[in-house]
Amino acid sequence: MGSNDEEAFAKAATLRDDVLATGGRRRAETRGERKVIFEMGAFEVLSELGRGGMGVVYRAWSKGLEREVALKMMTAGRFASDADVVRFKNEAML
């Protein structure tokens, strides 16, 4: 895993931990018709859709695509093994 990947995963884990600890209410604000729970890079997270063995799936707004998307974050975050990261990336490519 390259240093950029490691930094991105560390940032995602920190944001995820923060949001989970506060129940996603920390920075909620309304933008137009969207209630934004938190931002992560080019995404505005709107709500949680579900949880599974590998992570949490959020309903999000992609600023770049200007449309709603599903955004999945690894539950293990910065504690994920290299094998977990490879599995997560492979699943994303399906």
Side-chain angles (χ1 to χ4, degrees), residues 21-74:
T22 61
R25 294 179 296 275
R26 180 172 63 89
R27 289 185 266 167
E29 62 183 76
T30 302
R31 296 189 189 155
E33 296 181 20
R34 297 187 307 274
K35 182 176 180 184
V36 179
I37 297 172
F38 69 97
E39 286 190 47
M40 184 169 145
F43 301 96
E44 296 174 346
V45 176
L46 308 173
S47 65
E48 182 178 313
L49 293 175
R51 294 172 178 267
M54 289 282 314
V56 180
V57 179
Y58 294 100
R59 187 175 126 248
W61 179 262
S62 170
K63 297 175 194 176
L65 297 175
E66 297 185 4
R67 67 178 179 95
E68 283 192 13
V69 297
L71 179 66
K72 186 171 186 178
M73 295 173 66
M74 289 183 72

Side-chain angles (χ1 to χ4, degrees), residues 7-21:
E7 290 172 19
F9 281 116
K11 183 177 180 180
T14 300
L15 286 170
R16 187 216 59 235
D17 293 346
D18 188 31
V19 169
L20 292 176

Side-chain angles (χ1 to χ4, degrees), residues 1 9 12-13 16-17 20 48 50-58 71-94:
M1 198 166 44
F9 281 116
R16 187 216 59 235
D17 293 346
L20 292 176
E48 182 178 313
R51 294 172 178 267
M54 289 282 314
V56 180
V57 179
Y58 294 100
L71 179 66
K72 186 171 186 178
M73 295 173 66
M74 289 183 72
T75 305
R78 62 181 162 260
F79 302 110
S81 68
D82 288 341
D84 288 339
V85 173
V86 168
R87 180 176 160 209
F88 187 83
K89 286 181 178 180
N90 287 339
E91 184 178 301
M93 289 188 235
L94 292 176

